[in-house]
Amino acid sequence: MDTLPWQRINVGSTLRRSLLREKTRAGHTLKKASRHKWDSSQRSLCTSALVLSPSSDSDRCLKVLYRVCWAGSSSKSAFARHHSFHPRRYAPSRLFITIESFAAIKYNIQRHHSTMKFSISLLAASLATAEAGVWGNLRRRLSFEKVATYSPGSQVTDHCAIDRDQRAIEVELARKTNESWENAQQIYLQGGNSKSYALITLSEPLRSNVAKGTSVTGKNADGNEVAGKMYDTTSSGTVNVKIQYATTDVQDSYVQCQVGALVGEDINMSGCFADGENTINIGGEVYTYTYTAATENKNGRTIAGFSTQLEDKLKNGPGAPYADFEYFRKYYGTSDYADQWVNAAFEGGRTSFTNGNADFSQYGMEGREQIIKKGTAYMNVWMYTIREFEDALDDCKRGCINCNDDPVHAWDEGVCFYTGSLEGQDGAPSGYLLHQLADKRSLNFKTGGPDGTDVDGQSKLNYDLMDEFALGNYQLQSGNCPSARKTKERIAQLMYIPMIQGSLRYAYKVDKLQGGEKEKAEGAAFAAAVLPRVHAANSDAAAKIYNNLRVGASSTNHQEVKEAFESVYPQLGLTCADIGGLWNEATNSYYPGMGPCTDASTTKVVTETNSTLAIALGTTFGVLFALALIAVLYMRSREKQGAPVFKAGELEFKTEGGEEEADFN
């Protein structure tokens, strides 16, 4: 993507005229926003955003101004203060924007205009950050390629590339040979695409201590310069040294040394340090080194590490206990549950958890393939994604604008692990991680599109999560740590949706569509990725799901699974609409018994309304019947007294000519 230069926009008089011209329209917009049910983090934000619409011949043409407010106070006077415009706030010297940021803002406004559900970070970052006087940081943050429509505030191309390990694992698993499965397991354990480094041996020890990140340069096999940095702080006297390769902002060429445990065409050594004996410059000091490029280029970030590192990073982290991690640690009885699950499947063995055990000796390669590839993506990567968001919150400094770069970087990493690199900048369905899963399941459950009613396109879940990711990014930048934590909690709730959908889908396939080993394994894998959360809400519901979907289950009752999940939706912060129903594309209808459920709160309201209506109607008809009975008794009494209410001869019918035709006696 070409990065456009920043332009100073002269909006002095133009802006003031636009403010007056758009005041009525903006007031209407504010009324709509005030009626919308925003969460507390959004209500606490009250900011202004310029939406620029460049003309074809100028990138400085101001077309429309929106002022959007979310009043945190319930006081009408406090809300009223936010309705007024303050033109002087936007002095020309303080207003900057790029075509790129305009496009992002315009896209989000158009996408959500009907419901006023704006992407807060994209709207606020253009002006609110400007008022804080941090243009240098903002310019840096807006220069990175998007990650599936998300705009990161830091370089995370190397982190996003973890999905290339997932792809390599899946390719080797699909070959279904002993050799290819050994390759897949080594890629899982050793990686190949993320945090690449060279392990070199110096001909003489380091002459002094060298700090982590110190610049290192050398040559590749063609004699071209290769840049890197010290992987760790290294003491003088050391001869075995780790040097991490430099990465770029461009995802397609983020690094040119990809080896690790990769095989075949996935190996790329064009940007590796030259083989054999050569020289290298470490912090201005030249050393001679030796190493073997094919075996001593390794990786510091692996999918296995996403599980094995949780003990230190989450169990013993500064913000412990972390809720979602604790659900899984307590249920399975170990921090590295995902790694144990995957390795047991590779080896055809059994797990030894406190709950949720599986004996993979009952499956052949067809079933174990599903267990492994879903376990790596939906258990290892899922929890480490949450870990990065937690890390961002641990480092967040409340109320500080200029000191939250590290939290933003950690947050960006979390988004990268959710999406991966292969989704591209537009998030088109082509990845291997959680973003891709959400899109696939939305097709099965008719929850696609911004409104969650489509059977194609991007999932509503991904629309919602991208909004939450952007909101969290902005909250961290502005030092709004408490609201960022609430955003993280909502993200975690939403990320369980595809796991529930997958469990429901394969429960039905096994029960009603004669699903075999593959379908049974997929159901077991999805259930394993969500059972701990269900167990924390209701252990009985979790037991029903496990017994129906576990490896080696004697039978599967899809209705029992569905009812068990639905019973805990409120505790999980989810609704029936979030999950949808299992859609049969062939018949253009839901599979029997698998339509969307009705939320308990909605059912209660409907029931109470119907009861009230029944009472009202019953009372009305009762009164009418009583009045009719009284009238009949009165007329009978008059008749017995010889004075009937209706006397003979009072009713006559005449012919058209006026003559008497009949007389009722």
Side-chain angles (χ1 to χ4, degrees), residues 54 263 343:
V263 295
N343 280 317

Side-chain angles (χ1 to χ4, degrees), residues 182 197 330 565:
E182 176 63 23
Y197 69 88
K330 290 179 179 178
F565 272 119

Side-chain angles (χ1 to χ4, degrees), residues 416-486:
C416 258
F417 297 147
Y418 177 82
T419 61
S421 64
L422 300 172
E423 293 284 353
Q425 297 189 54
D426 60 358
S430 57
Y432 285 81
L433 299 180
L434 301 162
H435 186 283
Q436 173 70 357
L437 172 65
D439 285 346
K440 287 172 66 176
R441 290 291 85 88
S442 75
L443 304 183
N444 305 137
F445 282 78
K446 202 171 183 284
T447 53
D451 298 323
T453 57
D454 298 339
V455 291
D456 55 13
Q458 181 170 279
S459 63
K460 181 180 186 297
L461 173 58
N462 278 334
Y463 279 114
D464 291 345
L465 279 174
M466 287 299 156
D467 286 344
E468 298 293 343
F469 293 156
L471 176 59
N473 179 302
Y474 172 74
Q475 289 165 336
L476 290 168
Q477 288 186 55
S478 60
N480 190 353
C481 307
S483 292
R485 180 159 295 281
K486 292 178 181 178

Side-chain angles (χ1 to χ4, degrees), residues 20 104 152 170 198 213 275 311 328 392 505 539-540 585 610 622 631 644 656:
L20 295 175
E170 293 191 22
D275 230 349
E311 180 84 12
F328 284 75
R505 182 175 189 237
S539 59
D540 290 338
E585 188 176 0
N610 289 342
E656 291 184 359

Side-chain angles (χ1 to χ4, degrees), residues 112-258:
H112 295 305
H113 183 68
S114 62
T115 61
M116 295 301 297
K117 186 178 179 183
F118 294 99
S119 177
I120 307 303
S121 69
L122 294 173
L123 288 167
S126 298
L127 292 177
T129 313
E131 294 181 1
V134 289
W135 287 110
N137 288 337
L138 184 59
R139 182 180 296 110
R140 175 179 57 78
R141 290 188 178 107
L142 289 178
S143 65
F144 298 102
E145 288 185 351
K146 288 181 172 57
V147 178
T149 73
Y150 170 80
S151 296
S154 59
Q155 187 197 93
V156 283
T157 50
D158 194 49
H159 304 78
C160 284
I162 196 68
D163 65 341
R164 301 178 187 221
D165 282 358
Q166 177 70 22
R167 177 178 62 181
I169 291 170
E170 293 191 22
V171 168
E172 292 302 308
L173 288 173
R175 299 185 196 278
K176 291 186 176 66
T177 68
N178 291 335
E179 181 183 359
S180 69
W181 274 47
E182 176 63 23
N183 292 338
Q185 187 170 19
Q186 292 308 309
I187 295 168
Y188 167 72
L189 295 170
Q190 300 180 40
N193 289 286
S194 193
K195 207 172 185 178
S196 298
Y197 69 88
L199 179 60
I200 64 173
T201 301
L202 302 178
S203 59
E204 62 173 302
L206 283 176
R207 299 168 194 134
S208 60
N209 296 338
V210 183
K212 176 181 179 179
T214 298
S215 177
V216 178
T217 56
K219 302 287 186 181
N220 67 4
D222 296 329
N224 299 318
E225 184 173 290
V226 175
K229 62 182 180 181
M230 292 298 289
Y231 190 97
D232 293 310
T233 296
T234 309
S235 302
S236 62
T238 303
V239 294
N240 295 318
V241 177
K242 290 182 179 180
I243 301 171
Q244 184 178 347
Y245 290 99
T247 54
T248 73
D249 296 346
V250 180
Q251 190 66 68
D252 287 343
S253 58
Y254 71 101
V255 74
Q256 294 302 308
C257 187
Q258 297 146 303

